[in-house]
Amino acid sequence: MSKALYDSQHGFYTKGPLIGRPEGTFNTNAMFPAFAFAISQAITQAEALMGEPVRVVEFGGGTGELAANILTFLSSLRSNYIIVEISASLREQQRRRGITAVQATETLSPAPTFVLGNEVLDALPVHRVMRDGSGELLEMHVGLDDDGELVEYPGQLSTPLLAKRLDDERIALGRGQVAEVCLALDEFLYEVQRIVSKGYVVFIDYGDEAADLYSYKKLNGTLRSFRSQKPTCDPFDAVGEQDLTADVDFTALKHAASNAGFFCVEHSRQGSWLTNLGIKQFVDWSQDQEHALMQIHQLTNMAQLGSSFDVLIFKTAGLPDGLALHPE
Ligand SMILES: C[S@@+](CC[C@H](N)C(=O)[O-])C[C@H]1O[C@@H](n2cnc3c(N)ncnc32)[C@H](O)[C@@H]1O
């Protein structure tokens, strides 16, 4: 998955995919100006709660569309908005929109920061594990068959951390059950912690708590592949041409954040969070009220994106909870 998405030459993200356009690979929140409006409200609230200006660090900014839209509402933030983006060609797209983009956090010093990650955690590579008929936990490795085709085959765990993660979450997979484990979450949260002297961290993504993610209902796990906005049935087909993603383990995310020194202050559905942030006021900003209302409906309606994504907010010690925690 790591190679398929991030190989320095052939990786899906390395090649700078079209994201969020009708012809693109997938639609995301990032393409809606109403979403950027609501996020700009959250940034303004964070500044008020912290009592000082913040730097915004967005992880995995894609085409930079969300950043550019946020900066139309908070233009004074331009020199203080940085995207950390692993893909060189996406960094190029972000820079073309006038956004500062860096490859990794090394160049950033700790500062009061608002961290944003929209659909970045679901793009972190996962391991796939499986409990076999005898009850042993195995890892699904990737190899080549006699015809040179990519295949999955069960073998020893590549690291005991895979079993430890499931044990820590008190998960016992059923016999024959396949599941994904994202060990990269821990490293990711440490990277975030290193640059935030104080502040808030907002992740918006799809996923579940471990008990649901690893329930027997999800017998084959949640790894999915997409091409031109359509689900495909074979992750080994057209490697580097299709996106791969897996649901985020919110229990593991909360543990990783806590281990990195953050406190979870909010976990809700996107729809209610955006409503609490005052997304409806976007209509007053918009030239086209009908279009604005349509965007708000798509983003907040529980039958649409409102329940597709969860919002998880973390803070450093000593800050108020804040950031639209209370229902309207
Ligand atoms: C699913 S896309 C989402 C893009 C954008 N946030 C959006 O919502 O349209 C995932 C993005 O995260 C980037 N990414 C993945 N892992 C990353 C990491 N460790 N650090 C920074 N960016 C990363 C990918 O290159 C890509 O831009």
Side-chain angles (χ1 to χ4, degrees), residues 38 145 161 194 196 227 303 326:
D145 68 11
L161 292 175
R194 210 193 50 71
V196 180
R227 199 171 183 189
H326 306 293

Side-chain angles (χ1 to χ4, degrees), residues 179-192:
E180 291 77 22
V181 177
C182 182
L183 295 179
L185 275 177
D186 298 286
E187 183 60 32
F188 192 93
L189 265 291
Y190 275 116
E191 230 188 291
V192 172

Side-chain angles (χ1 to χ4, degrees), residues 6 13 19 26 28 30 58-62 84-87 90 118-120 122-124 188 243:
Y6 305 112
Y13 282 111
I19 302 174
F26 49 85
T28 78
E58 183 187 350
F59 280 82
V84 178
E85 171 58 62
I86 199 169
S87 155
L90 288 174
N118 183 61
E119 282 198 65
V120 63
D122 67 73
L124 297 179
F188 192 93
D243 189 20

Side-chain angles (χ1 to χ4, degrees), residues 26-321:
F26 49 85
N27 290 321
T28 78
N29 286 321
M31 58 191 275
F32 295 99
F35 183 75
F37 171 81
I39 299 292
S40 70
Q41 301 297 302
I43 295 169
T44 305
Q45 281 187 20
E47 289 195 314
L49 290 165
M50 289 165 66
E52 59 186 309
V54 292
R55 166 182 74 178
V56 176
V57 176
E58 183 187 350
F59 280 82
T63 62
E65 188 167 23
L66 175 59
N69 282 335
I70 289 174
L71 289 171
T72 62
F73 302 108
L74 295 175
S75 53
S76 60
L77 208 66
R78 183 163 290 274
S79 57
N80 243 343
Y81 195 114
I82 299 156
I83 295 182
V84 178
E85 171 58 62
I86 199 169
S87 155
S89 58
L90 288 174
R91 282 199 301 281
E92 205 39 56
Q93 290 188 39
Q94 294 155 8
R95 287 180 188 139
R96 278 205 292 274
R97 292 181 190 265
I99 320 276
T100 306
V102 297
Q103 181 176 0
T105 51
E106 271 101 63
T107 51
L108 306 178
S109 45
T113 306
F114 181 99
V115 171
L116 178 62
N118 183 61
E119 282 198 65
V120 63
L121 302 178
D122 67 73
L124 297 179
V126 292
H127 295 253
R128 257 157 86 79
V129 294
M130 175 204 174
R131 190 166 295 282
D132 75 1
S134 67
E136 192 185 350
L137 191 65
L138 301 173
E139 181 164 1
M140 305 304 289
H141 298 267
V142 178
L144 294 174
D145 68 11
D146 292 343
D147 298 323
E149 297 288 336
L150 291 168
V151 283
E152 243 184 346
Y153 65 94
Q156 297 296 306
L157 297 183
S158 58
T159 161
L161 292 175
L162 295 168
K164 182 176 183 311
R165 166 69 66 75
L166 295 179
D167 284 349
D168 288 348
E169 293 182 334
R170 296 174 194 282
I171 300 296
L173 297 179
R175 282 165 204 264
Q177 186 177 356
V178 175
E180 291 77 22
V181 177
C182 182
L183 295 179
L185 275 177
D186 298 286
E187 183 60 32
F188 192 93
L189 265 291
Y190 275 116
E191 230 188 291
V192 172
Q193 178 267 335
R194 210 193 50 71
I195 60 163
V196 180
S197 61
K198 81 186 221 194
Y200 293 92
V201 180
V202 176
F203 290 118
I204 301 143
D205 230 309
Y206 41 80
D208 263 313
E209 294 288 356
D212 291 319
L213 186 64
Y214 297 124
S215 83
Y216 208 54
K217 278 185 248 163
K218 297 182 179 163
L219 193 59
N220 291 315
T222 64
L223 183 75
R224 300 183 289 286
S225 45
F226 290 89
R227 199 171 183 189
S228 305
Q229 291 186 29
K230 292 194 186 66
T232 61
C233 47
D234 182 2
F236 295 135
D237 186 36
V239 176
E241 296 297 320
Q242 51 175 0
D243 189 20
L244 300 174
T245 180
D247 282 6
V248 178
D249 175 350
F250 293 143
T251 308
L253 172 61
K254 288 173 187 170
H255 277 132
S258 166
N259 289 339
F262 293 110
F263 297 84
C264 184
V265 292
E266 169 79 336
H267 181 179
S268 60
R269 294 287 194 203
Q270 164 169 303
S272 49
W273 187 64
L274 293 179
T275 305
N276 294 343
L277 279 173
I279 193 172
K280 286 185 183 146
Q281 289 161 30
F282 174 67
V283 176
D284 304 331
W285 280 78
S286 178
Q287 310 273 337
D288 181 345
Q289 301 209 332
E290 204 179 316
H291 190 230
L293 285 168
M294 196 189 73
Q295 288 183 44
I296 295 166
H297 184 73
Q298 271 185 270
L299 288 163
T300 58
N301 188 287
M302 292 313 240
Q304 299 187 42
L305 296 178
S307 68
S308 305
F309 296 102
D310 281 22
V311 179
L312 288 97
I313 305 179
F314 303 92
K315 65 168 188 178
T316 52
L319 287 180
D321 288 353

